[in-house]
Amino acid sequence: MSIAHITDAHDDTSDVDDTELQGRAALEAWVERIAALTRPESIVWCDGSRSESDRLTKQLVADGKLIRLNPEWRPNSFLARSDPDDVARVESRTFISTTLEEDAGPTNNWVAPDEIRTELDVVFAGSMRGRTMYVVPFSMGPLGGRLSQLGVQITDSEYAVLSMGIMTRMGARVLDLIDAGTPWVATVHSVGAPLEPGEQDVPWPCNPTKYIVQFPETREVWSYGSGYGGNALLAKKCFALRIASAMGREEGWLAEHMLLIKLTDPRGRSYHIAAAFPSACGKTNLAMLRPSIPGWTVETIGDDIAWLRPGDDGRLWAVNPEAGFFGVAPGTGESTNATAVETLWGNTIFTNVALRDDGDVWWEGLTDTPPAHLVDWRGEDWTPDSGRTAAHPNSRFTVAAAQCPQIADDWEAPDGVPIDAIIFGGRRATNVPLVVEATDWRHGVYIGATISSEKTAAAEGTIGELRRDPFAMLPFCGYNMADHWAHWLSIGDTLRFDRAPRMFQVNWFRKGADGEFLWPGFAENARVLGWIAARVAGEARAEESPIGRLPLVEDLDLDGLDLTEETLEQLFAVDVDSWREEADLTEEFFSSFGSRLPAALSTELAALRYRLALA
Ligand code: GTP
Ligand code: SPV
Ligand code: MN
């Protein structure tokens, strides 16, 4: 924790000199300083207890900010309806603030620290008036674990407190570690809606002006104006990805937008797999997969974020730093993700889904047939012929990972799990085959660096538009993306060549001429995992193609799937002309990084073009 930097930035708001303070005293001085700036009515230190969350939910229900669901169907569960203009991450208002612009890189919104601190001081001044300020100490990763990190979030949102209580290991035990001198990351959040005396609060306070500002150099986050997801639960994308990725670069580890699973084959051999897909591209679904092929099992370790560190044994080890799932609701149903449906039996906060007349929840895809009447995510009456969706496309559930019926026995292993395979993916209607294996680590890094995907509802913007999303980290990398690639290359150098994870690219979303998905996806994705495991075990063959190693179709277990010859061909087709065009676009993309681009990636691009020319 770099108290010194924060003090420098805000010495006008406090007369406490806490630069020399350690442990709890430093934390208390910081809390006082933020209170002096934001002027809350009261301060509450959160202990993470059940009675604390019960007290908060009761209060929010009484205030009309949460709806208690019918306990008969959904015990201890709640529905929150956000402001209709505060429904997703706001990338246009998300900033990486570093001294030098090139350290943030061309893919981030950069802003100079002095400039943004002046702006933040203005908006945060008095921003918590009339509200309670909560101090939320949390651990990312098991408390005291080798890969774990501590943080503290200050917030004036009870919804954020409750969500952080599910998503992190939150509460009093973290304070003991802080007391003992463990460093921690400081994060400050305000919804930016001060209450004047006697003023009636709204169900979802927020502010049209938003700032999500990361300071990787001083390891701080300042978030203003939004109450939603990645904007407001600062442990998640702001800390565990943007700040942690920058920490990992300095300290020799990786913070990635990846799910983690343990896959076990019919012979009882287990494989740990990490997979990076952009937002709303299937991480939660793959993390909770129930394989359609007999004898295989998947156990869940994490569904969104992985921290990875080379071990002394030459392998790459990973933990899920989170303690809960903040998952996309629409499309989550018995037939697609029965595990998620079971996980959500109770103790869940739902945001922006629809409310049934019986006091339970519903969203598109939960069941095939919608109920005859619902109250939609905006609180308006809804019937199937309303002509709009009942749940917001980025509506979400927040639930403890421990509730997942297939959570892995090693999901909280303090040193993490050894990774056997890394998968990159995205939504690609064309070009990208169902699965392809990288020839080596460097080629894998090239694949990760060049991932593109069609935009989804997880962020503001035009849905369906194709954009580059390297390592699925475009909105989450806390430093120059080209340096991120260089860091990946250097991590590869520290691994033992025969113990480094194998790397793959997958695409569940390729479409046929009729516009329909060619691949059934979901549980059937186990067939692809099966091939990946067989490659790791050295038991499946592959065929060289210009873009990497393709499975021999006869090595894929396709039993019981009725895919035509033609569909299979389309799923694996490598169209040389379109890949030449992709290579041209990649060259253009790479050129935006100037001299920061690692030479190894230019070499990979040249090698791809050479292979395409020969094809
Ligand atoms: P974030 O939480 O935003 O990071 O998203 P995520 O990557 O965890 O995505 P998630 O698993 O929640 O899936 C997003 C959407 O994609 C849901 O509507 C799913 O139903 C859909 N989806 C997931 N897997 C598949 C698949 O294999 N095929 C198809 N067609 N759709 C899928
Ligand atoms: C994502 O957008 O990748 C999410 C949701 O997982 S949020 O926490 O809002 O970033
Ligand atoms: Mn995500």
Side-chain angles (χ1 to χ4, degrees):
M1 162 70 201
S2 317
I3 287 287
H5 299 272
I6 308 174
T7 306
D8 292 347
H10 292 293
D11 50 11
D12 55 328
T13 64
S14 166
D15 47 18
V16 195
D17 178 13
D18 45 13
T19 49
E20 297 306 314
L21 299 178
Q22 299 279 318
R24 183 83 67 109
L27 171 58
E28 281 170 2
W30 173 70
V31 168
E32 255 175 58
R33 206 146 26 75
I34 303 301
L37 172 67
T38 58
R39 307 259 165 224
E41 195 172 274
S42 56
I43 302 177
V44 169
W45 289 68
C46 295
D47 61 13
S49 65
R50 174 68 191 248
S51 59
E52 177 178 82
S53 64
D54 283 350
R55 208 162 50 237
L56 279 172
T57 52
K58 238 181 230 148
Q59 177 196 327
L60 291 186
V61 169
D63 294 349
K65 294 181 172 187
L66 281 183
I67 295 167
R68 186 182 293 277
L69 300 177
N70 187 337
E72 202 176 319
W73 312 124
R74 210 69 71 170
N76 191 39
S77 298
F78 303 88
L79 168 63
R81 292 192 188 122
S82 82
D83 183 290
D85 293 324
D86 192 22
V87 293
R89 283 182 290 102
V90 281
E91 294 180 4
S92 61
R93 299 296 302 164
T94 300
F95 302 93
I96 301 295
S97 184
T98 46
T99 311
L100 299 177
E101 181 167 5
E102 60 259 43
D103 288 341
T107 60
N108 280 312
N109 296 320
W110 172 80
V111 61
D114 290 355
E115 188 187 315
I116 197 72
R117 285 191 194 278
T118 308
E119 280 183 50
L120 290 174
D121 272 348
V122 171
V123 294
F124 273 93
S127 74
M128 297 189 186
R129 276 195 324 272
R131 296 194 183 277
T132 303
M133 175 174 121
Y134 299 88
V135 183
V136 182
F138 60 88
S139 172
M140 298 310 280
L143 263 93
R146 183 153 179 192
L147 284 139
S148 302
Q149 300 284 343
L150 304 184
V152 181
Q153 176 166 345
I154 284 179
T155 180
D156 57 3
S157 158
E158 287 83 10
Y159 171 87
V161 173
L162 289 168
S163 304
M164 289 282 292
I166 296 173
M167 296 303 297
T168 71
R169 291 144 178 106
M170 185 261 265
R173 286 164 63 209
V174 176
L175 292 178
D176 297 338
L177 291 177
I178 290 177
D179 270 342
T182 314
W184 49 281
V185 168
T187 74
V188 185
H189 171 242
S190 173
V191 294
L195 284 171
E196 301 312 326
E199 187 184 338
Q200 177 69 36
D201 202 2
V202 294
W204 184 277
C206 59
N207 193 301
T209 301
K210 296 179 180 22
Y211 289 90
I212 323 298
V213 188
Q214 282 70 206
F215 296 95
E217 289 160 353
T218 52
R219 301 183 177 176
E220 294 161 77
V221 181
W222 288 76
S223 168
Y224 176 87
S226 170
Y228 204 87
N231 302 331
L233 314 180
L234 303 188
K236 196 169 172 55
K237 298 302 171 42
C238 302
F239 173 8
L241 288 179
R242 298 194 190 101
I243 299 293
S245 62
M247 292 168 74
R249 185 187 174 216
E250 280 173 30
E251 298 168 5
W253 50 283
L254 293 161
E256 298 293 327
H257 193 202
M258 288 178 166
L259 67 93
L260 286 173
I261 53 173
K262 178 176 175 182
L263 173 72
T264 305
D265 72 12
R267 287 174 50 190
R269 294 176 299 184
S270 289
Y271 310 82
H272 290 100
I273 299 177
F277 308 155
S279 301
C281 289
K283 286 183 301 301
T284 302
N285 276 268
L286 193 65
M288 299 184 181
L289 189 86
R290 280 187 197 175
S292 57
I293 43 177
W296 292 80
T297 56
V298 165
E299 291 164 80
T300 311
I301 299 174
D303 83 326
D304 198 50
I305 298 177
W307 286 354
L308 309 103
R309 182 185 57 85
D312 305 331
D313 57 356
R315 304 188 72 178
L316 190 63
W317 291 73
V319 289
N320 167 18
E322 301 190 279
F325 307 124
F326 181 62
V328 177
T332 305
E334 218 45 75
S335 59
T336 56
N337 190 350
T339 302
V341 172
E342 283 174 28
T343 305
L344 304 176
W345 62 267
N347 308 317
T348 304
I349 301 173
F350 297 90
T351 308
N352 289 344
V353 301
L355 183 65
R356 293 166 51 108
D357 294 346
D358 65 1
D360 199 6
V361 282
W362 191 84
W363 51 80
E364 280 68 24
L366 177 60
T367 55
D368 291 340
T369 327
H373 176 262
L374 292 164
V375 177
D376 74 6
W377 69 276
R378 293 168 184 265
E380 286 162 17
D381 281 310
W382 184 95
T383 55
D385 55 11
S386 290
R388 57 179 202 274
T389 62
H392 186 276
N394 192 39
S395 55
R396 300 236 168 199
F397 51 79
T398 311
V399 68
Q403 259 180 232
C404 175
Q406 65 191 60
I407 197 80
D409 52 1
D410 53 7
W411 87 280
E412 297 197 278
D415 289 350
V417 296
I419 299 300
D420 298 295
I422 293 175
I423 304 177
F424 299 107
R427 274 177 199 265
R428 290 299 305 268
T430 59
N431 274 15
V432 179
L434 180 63
V435 58
V436 58
E437 185 186 353
T439 43
D440 54 23
W441 184 271
R442 195 175 78 171
H443 183 223
V445 173
Y446 175 84
I447 288 176
T450 54
I451 289 288
S452 49
S453 191
E454 289 137 27
K455 268 187 120 173
T456 66
E460 35 149 24
T462 318
I463 293 172
E465 193 189 327
L466 195 67
R467 73 166 180 181
R468 293 281 169 173
D469 194 345
F471 285 82
M473 283 287 278
L474 182 73
F476 307 123
C477 186
Y479 60 103
N480 190 308
M481 187 62 83
D483 294 347
H484 180 242
W485 303 337
H487 187 43
W488 265 86
L489 291 165
S490 75
I491 292 275
D493 291 337
T494 69
L495 301 174
R496 249 182 64 170
F497 81 97
D498 58 337
R499 291 188 173 176
R502 302 279 279 270
M503 285 151 126
F504 300 83
Q505 177 174 26
V506 301
N507 178 23
W508 317 140
F509 300 95
R510 200 165 188 174
K511 289 180 177 172
D514 57 1
E516 298 291 319
F517 292 123
L518 292 166
W519 178 248
F522 301 103
E524 308 300 355
N525 295 334
R527 299 169 191 272
V528 173
L529 295 183
W531 183 73
I532 288 173
R535 287 295 296 167
V536 169
E539 292 166 3
R541 295 160 301 167
E543 179 179 37
E544 299 289 343
S545 88
I547 61 166
R549 297 176 175 156
L550 295 172
L552 299 183
V553 171
E554 57 272 32
D555 285 354
L556 280 176
D557 181 350
L558 298 173
D559 267 7
L561 274 190
D562 66 7
L563 294 178
T564 63
E565 260 326 274
E566 198 198 333
T567 302
L568 270 174
E569 225 161 80
Q570 286 178 295
L571 272 170
F572 287 102
V574 177
D575 183 86
V576 171
D577 288 334
S578 3
W579 275 98
R580 285 197 184 117
E581 281 165 35
E582 292 243 350
D584 292 345
L585 293 173
T586 296
E587 179 176 357
E588 203 183 305
F589 176 57
F590 277 178
S591 72
S592 64
F593 297 94
S595 61
R596 302 281 267 241
L597 179 77
L601 295 189
S602 310
T603 309
E604 281 297 329
L605 174 59
L608 169 66
R609 280 179 158 153
Y610 180 71
R611 295 191 300 268
L612 287 167
L614 292 184

